[in-house]
Amino acid sequence: MIRLTVLGCCGSYAAPGGACSGYLVQGGGKNLWLDAGPGTLANLQRHIDLDDLDGILLTHAHPDHWVDLLPFHNVVRYIRKRSGLPVWSTKRVLELTQEVNGKLTDAVDWTVINARSNVELGGLRLSFSRTDHGPETLAVRVDEAGGPSLGYTADTGPAWPLSNLGPGLDAALVEASMPVEAEGSVQHLSGRQAGRAATEAGVGRLLLTHIQPGVDPERQVADARGEFAGPVEAVETNATYEI
Ligand SMILES: [Zn+2]
Ligand SMILES: [Zn+2]
């Protein structure tokens, strides 16, 4: 079983009391912090001890997906010291981290990944696909050995098919940033487009995320249900979903 805990799910910026994109993925005996948007470091500590974190994966260089890595880097190099914590990210996220925090220490073991990479973390296997989004952005497929599969779009426009993550996704965490009226204006998805993507990819369950402040989650769910016959819900911060 994979346990997906939402550390933040606001799109682009956080609503009052909210946090941007970040998830705790627990499976295969490991704890993975998937995207580290602002506010997610605080919420991560509601769910696990920071010493129990086994790896961090950052999908792209937009600040709503990674900047809590900067204070966390200071946690592991100065305050709760450890060494060799695996971090995987696109090249640009590493460059930006070094610009702000300076030289990396052995607190982290950083690997630059791309769409062809494969990552193993305990019983979790991670694979990737480049999405339809401005900077290099990696959608993620998480397979637990002998268990379920979870897909995560990160950020994408409609030109990238969710099926590029492969068949048989038990659940997909799909961005639904904007209302239908905004389709085509930016490289993001509406609820309707998220539903279509889920149908085309044949996923078992659709979890909507990255809904921008001011956009009604219930409307995003209703628009997605118009295109996808399976279960749909908009995720909530600090809720856990068993897959
Ligand atoms: Zn975003
Ligand atoms: Zn983005």
Side-chain angles (χ1 to χ4, degrees):
M1 182 180 70
I2 293 174
R3 286 169 55 88
L4 172 72
T5 298
V6 178
L7 306 175
C9 57
C10 293
S12 303
Y13 70 101
C20 289
S21 291
Y23 308 91
L24 172 62
V25 177
Q26 296 176 290
K30 297 293 180 180
N31 295 316
L32 172 69
W33 186 6
L34 173 59
D35 271 348
T40 60
L41 174 56
N43 286 335
L44 178 63
Q45 297 166 80
R46 295 173 185 262
H47 303 284
I48 62 168
D49 188 293
L50 292 180
D51 292 344
D52 293 331
L53 191 64
D54 297 302
I56 303 172
L57 196 145
L58 306 165
T59 61
H60 68 296
H62 279 161
D64 58 316
H65 290 257
W66 74 273
V67 297
D68 265 9
L69 189 281
L70 297 169
F72 181 76
H73 183 216
N74 289 333
V75 172
V76 291
R77 64 179 173 168
Y78 298 135
I79 303 164
R80 297 176 65 160
K81 293 181 185 177
R82 57 188 292 182
S83 63
L85 178 66
V87 179
W88 300 275
S89 80
T90 59
K91 183 164 177 281
R92 187 67 184 137
V93 175
L94 173 58
E95 291 169 351
L96 290 168
T97 298
Q98 290 172 315
E99 282 180 31
V100 178
N101 279 9
K103 197 169 179 294
L104 299 177
T105 65
D106 69 354
V108 291
D109 178 8
W110 201 302
T111 304
V112 170
I113 55 170
N114 59 39
R116 296 174 300 283
S117 300
N118 284 294
V119 168
E120 304 228 350
L121 178 65
L124 296 179
R125 188 166 187 279
L126 312 176
S127 52
F128 310 95
S129 175
R130 168 73 162 97
T131 74
D132 170 28
H133 199 56
E136 179 187 20
T137 301
L138 299 176
V140 184
R141 178 182 178 119
V142 182
D143 288 291
E144 185 187 45
S149 301
L150 168 69
Y152 170 45
T153 61
D155 286 0
T156 190
W160 173 80
L162 178 58
S163 57
N164 277 11
L165 286 179
L169 291 175
D170 295 287
L173 184 61
V174 176
E175 76 126 283
S177 301
M178 58 190 188
V180 167
E181 297 75 42
E183 284 179 6
S185 62
V186 287
Q187 281 174 298
H188 286 294
L189 299 179
S190 67
R192 177 166 76 177
Q193 290 171 325
R196 274 184 206 150
T199 296
E200 287 165 6
V203 308
R205 176 182 176 191
L206 175 57
L207 301 169
L208 299 179
T209 191
H210 201 274
I211 297 171
Q212 285 175 345
V215 177
D216 178 9
E218 288 312 307
R219 174 157 177 220
Q220 300 306 85
V221 169
D223 288 348
R225 282 200 177 120
E227 300 285 339
F228 177 69
V232 184
E233 60 193 303
V235 299
E236 294 179 10
T237 300
N238 291 312
T240 297
Y241 302 84
E242 295 184 347
I243 294 153

